[in-house]
Structures are given as C-alpha cells and as structure tokens.
Amino acid sequence: MYQFDISAADKADLYRDLLSALDSLTADEGDAIANMANASALLMQYLPDLNWSGFYRLVDDELVLGPFQGKAACIRIVLGKGVCGTAAATRTTQLVPDVHAFPGHIACDADSRAELVVPIVVGDRLVGVLDLDSPVAGRFDAADQAGCEALMAMLAPRIA
C-alpha cells in the first residue's frame, strides 16, 4: 500500500525522507497506537543496524511498552531508571554510545550495545519516548539525534 523512496546518500537526506514518509503515514490517522506502530516499522526498515525500534508510553507516572519492532521487551520502566526512564524524567534525549557504561542500564536485550532515546512532549506534557537500540557500539550520532528529534516533534501531536 505504501512505498517510499528513502535516500541513504547521507543522514540529512535519510532523515528528510523519513520525515516526509512518516508525515504521509500519520497525517490522516487519528489513532495513536496505529501511528506509533507505523513509525516503529518505518524506522526499523530504513535505519541500518537496529535491533529494536519502538515506543514507551507514559501511563500513570511510569513508562509502559507501546508498539515496537524487535525482540520481546521490558514492559514497565520506572521514571529515572535506565536510559528510557532517564530520558523521560529529564525530558532530554539520551544518546548512549555504549549501554554497558550507562549507570543503571536496563538490559532488555543482551545484544544491544548503543541506544538513542528521544522524549516525546506535547506542550508541557510528556507522552512517552522513542527508543532505538543497536547491536553496534557507537551506532548513533548527533545527526541521528537531530533526525529523530525532528521526527518525534512532528509525530508528537498525532500520538498524544
């Protein structure tokens, strides 16, 4: 049904194309779960070297597993715990080159080495986080952070 021409010439092009594709997928859909599901699938398909792509939703002051692609995952994460909980509590993106060096890292998948977690905020309300894991240490960089932050800024009101 959907076919996207995603460019991998460089990261700026890749994230520009991903932003356009995600906008197309979610623009006319009002269901937050459907939009998160398509977003996680799109990222897993087009971002290289991922072993997990998905969302944790804020429910009653804790993060609860949402739509994702990858191995079965931790279901609940306390705010302030692990990479996802830290991103949620501080509302700042966590770019972790080596998860084994992150104090309190929660190892849902022992194969994960690097992680990028972007908080999703609408107005002043935390909705949840985008969580990307990679089996490659140092997989994520500033371009990935900026690209994923732009994706979540666009998606945030469509999943709130």
Side-chain angles (χ1 to χ4, degrees), residues 14 25 29 42 51 65 68 75 78 91 96 139 149:
L14 172 66
L25 279 171
E29 179 53 59
L42 186 73
N51 61 330
L65 183 64
F68 70 94
I75 296 172
V78 175
R91 294 186 183 194
V96 182
R139 157 62 183 89
E149 287 173 345

Side-chain angles (χ1 to χ4, degrees), residues 39-124:
S40 64
L42 186 73
L43 293 173
M44 191 69 159
Q45 181 177 359
Y46 290 106
L47 291 181
D49 299 320
L50 295 186
N51 61 330
W52 205 89
S53 169
F55 293 86
Y56 280 92
R57 303 168 297 114
L58 184 65
V59 179
D60 297 329
D61 294 325
E62 70 179 338
L63 295 174
V64 179
L65 183 64
F68 70 94
Q69 302 281 312
K71 290 181 182 177
C74 302
I75 296 172
R76 295 178 183 274
I77 298 174
V78 175
L79 295 183
K81 300 293 182 182
V83 181
C84 288
T86 299
T90 63
R91 294 186 183 194
T92 59
T93 298
Q94 301 295 304
L95 193 159
V96 182
D98 182 0
V99 296
H100 300 299
F102 189 90
H105 173 252
I106 301 167
C108 294
D109 181 348
D111 292 333
S112 292
R113 291 292 312 278
E115 192 166 2
L116 177 64
V117 180
V118 178
I120 305 165
V121 180
V122 175
D124 63 350

Side-chain angles (χ1 to χ4, degrees), residues 25-39:
L25 279 171
T26 61
D28 296 324
E29 179 53 59
D31 187 87
I33 299 297
N35 286 336
M36 285 184 278
N38 265 336

